[in-house]
Amino acid sequence: MLLRIEGHALPGRDCPPGPGFHGVSGIEVAVQRKDRPAELLDPQPGDAPTAAWTLPCTFTAGGELSGPYVQNRLGGRFVCLSWLGRQPQEESSRMFRRAKLMLAGVPPQVLAEARRRGALVGRLALTDAKGTPLCGRVVPPAIVWSAGEPPKP
């Protein structure tokens, strides 16, 4: 089974300063590996027209998604998008924000169909209402889940 995350409406390469925040530049977004916050899958520039990641998954005996990019913490299973950038006078990027794509928000009928077809797809805008990188817990309607077909080899 594959889990595909498809992002659109990215926020750009710069996030301006705000209250208690110095701002960042060189923004990128990537999927964080389970239990390895420094291991990021395929960073995408914050000004790309779209960003997408395809993640391998399996099902637990209880019917929940599992895999190398599926986190399982208090509050449920999720895929974590990490936002990277540099603050003024910093030479290297670091994580400054995260979005948790909550898998409990996948409707059961969509998950069952995705299991049958071989792929679950989550589509979402990656910019929040303030024009900054999306963060926090992400559930429908901010993310739309659907069943899909795995890519042809």
Side-chain angles (χ1 to χ4, degrees):
M1 164 96 173
L2 296 175
L3 172 58
R4 182 159 174 84
I5 306 300
E6 297 178 352
H8 61 275
L10 278 80
R13 297 285 282 173
D14 299 300
C15 187
F21 181 68
H22 296 291
V24 294
S25 60
I27 294 175
E28 296 179 308
V29 60
V31 174
Q32 177 184 312
R33 188 171 177 94
K34 177 182 174 183
D35 298 327
R36 298 181 191 168
E39 193 172 319
L40 302 172
L41 176 67
D42 198 16
Q44 302 287 310
D47 61 354
T50 61
W53 302 270
T54 301
L55 316 173
C57 290
T58 58
F59 281 91
T60 66
E64 294 183 297
L65 282 175
S66 184
Y69 297 95
V70 177
Q71 311 277 340
N72 187 17
R73 302 276 186 262
L74 293 175
R77 293 176 186 268
F78 60 91
V79 172
C80 185
L81 297 181
S82 290
W83 292 95
L84 309 166
R86 291 181 305 283
Q87 288 189 345
Q89 283 77 43
E90 288 183 332
E91 290 187 25
S92 59
S93 291
R94 62 182 174 92
M95 194 269 295
F96 71 95
R97 200 171 248 195
R98 296 182 342 157
K100 294 179 178 180
L101 311 183
M102 303 307 295
L103 297 172
V106 179
Q109 67 276 18
V110 171
L111 187 58
E113 180 66 11
R115 189 172 190 172
R116 187 183 72 71
R117 293 174 62 185
L120 176 65
V121 180
R123 292 182 180 92
L124 72 159
L126 295 176
T127 300
D128 67 15
K130 297 176 186 174
T132 59
L134 181 69
C135 67
R137 294 170 57 94
V138 180
V139 297
I143 186 167
V144 176
W145 295 105
S146 62
E149 300 291 334
K152 304 289 184 217

